[in-house]
Amino acid sequence: MPTAPAPGTTLTIEAVLAGRLVRPLFQPIVELSGRTVVGLEALARGPAGSDLEFPDRLFAAGAAAGRLGELDMLCFERALEGAMAAPVAPPLLFANGEPAVMDQPLSPRLMELFASGPSFRTILEYTERALPSVPGSLLRLSGQIQLGGNGVALDDVGVDPMSLAFLPVLEPEVIKLDMSLVRDPHAAHSRTVAAVVRAEARRTGALVIAEGIETEDDLITARELGAHWGQGWLFGRPGPLDVATHRYNPAAAAALRAPRPGFHQPAGTPFEVASARAPRQPGTAAAIAAAFDRVRDIAASDDAAVIVASTADLPVPLHELAGQARSTIVLDRPVPGEVAVAVIGPGYGHAVCVRSAGGPELVIVDDLPTVAAVSRVLLNRHTRG
């Protein structure tokens, strides 16, 4: 076991990494109606009493030293080690991932831990910061997680409207509502977020967790927002597992949607995916121009929209689209012989796909699941961070 330094010690991030001095604390996640514990969220801390004890300084030091990836992986390792060493393992373990280093491979130690067959499912949490910066890596990592029987959670939903746009693309097993919604549930923004999340949860079978539940009134509010599960000081503060006692709900893992290997890496090109679910039409110059004008109009009507384009060479100049959207992602590996663009917003989607081979053909899609599938195909061809 790592040996903690004396309180007040000044540490370098190199010393923390070399000594594996990250320690996990665990906070319960409960089922709101019966208050049984369905899982634990692991929260990383540096050595107690040191200048790197708290996560903001710990991760800032890792980033400054260029070792954020190693630190992120160590935090994940220590969380798994702690849960696997507990006398009674939790049904689910939630662990946070750092978006900036999402494209790194799993460490040998993590691979060893997963190969040993933990008795629980692991849910890897990512905040909406991961969505515009590394969307391709997020989808590829989600695919790896599904292969291992585990799942993904999208954290802090509601802070930025972009997270709502990406929900149908990622289709996480768990959607975590930011605590700001519990604090101000009657705000127009909170009502919009709750409505979109409820609809997405019904469509996909995702479970909804409300964060920041501190009082009985907060618990009532969380249920009104559509949360199934919750976490916060009302149910327990973060602490070590060796002093924590939890009334685990053994059925919790079964309540979570089953893994779907391959879901995040659909086969085919954008045009093939779209045309399998929507009719093709002749790709005349007038039809293509009208279709892309429609994309521009949709993007202009919602400042929360996200655009994913296969190439910058679109019938509508890209700068006209980019100026309307919250985020615009252009692939660095375009699809040969195709032009495709998808615009996604909270609860809706629209895509246009054109294929030039054998005479231009056009497919226009308004069905959200199909637009999301087209977007997944596009984003899997995006390698830039």
Side-chain angles (χ1 to χ4, degrees):
M1 294 293 291
T3 302
T9 301
T10 298
L11 288 176
T12 64
I13 192 65
E14 289 78 12
V16 171
L17 293 170
R20 297 179 59 81
L21 299 179
V22 168
R23 58 194 176 95
L25 300 182
F26 298 89
Q27 185 173 33
I29 296 173
V30 308
E31 193 274 322
L32 292 181
S33 59
R35 301 200 190 190
T36 55
V37 177
V38 298
L40 301 176
E41 179 175 358
L43 303 167
R45 299 289 186 270
S50 75
D51 54 332
L52 298 182
E53 176 177 2
F54 296 104
D56 53 347
R57 300 188 70 173
L58 179 66
F59 282 88
R67 304 188 71 176
L68 188 58
E70 295 171 72
L71 177 61
D72 184 61
M73 203 63 67
L74 176 59
C75 293
F76 197 178
E77 293 167 8
R78 298 288 289 134
L80 273 174
E81 290 168 350
M84 292 174 71
V88 180
L92 300 169
L93 175 69
F94 289 73
N96 294 279
E98 175 56 45
V101 291
M102 190 181 301
D103 56 353
Q104 67 179 329
L106 295 182
S107 68
R109 176 57 177 158
L110 265 182
M111 295 175 66
E112 176 187 355
L113 289 167
F114 279 122
S116 68
S119 62
F120 48 84
R121 289 179 70 182
T122 299
I123 309 300
L124 196 55
E125 294 188 25
Y126 284 103
T127 69
E128 60 196 13
R129 290 183 294 122
L131 301 177
S133 57
V134 282
S137 295
L138 178 57
L139 289 176
R140 288 186 285 274
L141 180 58
S142 297
Q144 294 175 4
I145 290 169
Q146 297 288 330
L147 286 172
N150 300 302
V152 175
L154 186 57
D155 198 8
D156 297 341
V157 171
V159 174
D160 189 321
M162 195 185 324
S163 59
L164 299 181
F166 271 96
L167 267 178
V169 178
L170 183 60
E171 280 204 21
E173 278 68 33
V174 175
I175 303 170
K176 299 190 75 173
L177 299 175
D178 186 73
M179 67 175 64
S180 61
L181 275 67
V182 174
R183 299 289 175 268
D184 193 8
H186 302 298
H189 172 70
S190 298
R191 293 197 300 269
T192 297
V193 171
V196 172
V197 168
R198 279 195 297 266
E200 186 67 10
R202 285 194 298 268
R203 185 181 75 82
T204 67
L207 285 165
V208 180
I209 294 178
E211 299 181 294
I213 299 176
E214 298 181 358
T215 66
E216 295 293 339
D217 286 343
D218 288 345
L219 188 152
I220 294 171
T221 297
R223 298 188 69 176
E224 290 173 347
L225 289 170
H228 309 99
W229 296 349
Q231 66 185 112
W233 289 356
L234 180 63
F235 312 118
R237 300 196 180 202
L241 269 181
D242 57 0
V243 299
T245 57
H246 299 300
R247 189 161 55 97
Y248 289 136
N249 180 351
L256 201 67
R257 189 178 63 209
R260 298 179 294 173
F263 173 82
H264 294 94
Q265 287 75 38
T269 68
F271 185 90
E272 290 168 346
V273 170
S275 61
R277 308 183 195 182
R280 306 180 186 188
Q281 57 182 286
T284 65
I288 292 173
F292 279 87
D293 283 343
R294 174 64 176 151
V295 170
R296 178 184 56 199
D297 292 344
I298 292 173
S301 68
D302 185 359
D303 61 5
V306 174
I307 290 173
V308 184
S310 62
T311 174
D313 186 19
L314 299 174
V316 172
L318 187 63
H319 68 83
E320 291 187 24
L321 295 177
Q324 308 293 345
R326 184 85 177 187
S327 177
T328 301
I329 300 167
V330 181
L331 308 191
D332 48 1
R333 292 193 300 134
V335 182
E338 293 189 16
V339 174
V341 62
V343 56
I344 316 165
Y348 71 87
H350 184 87
V352 174
C353 301
V354 180
R355 185 168 67 180
S356 58
E361 290 184 289
L362 170 68
V363 178
I364 301 172
V365 181
D366 282 309
D367 172 61
L368 179 57
T370 304
V371 175
V374 169
S375 300
R376 283 191 287 274
V377 174
L378 289 169
L379 291 171
N380 272 288
R381 299 185 66 88
H382 187 68
T383 61
R384 287 192 298 261

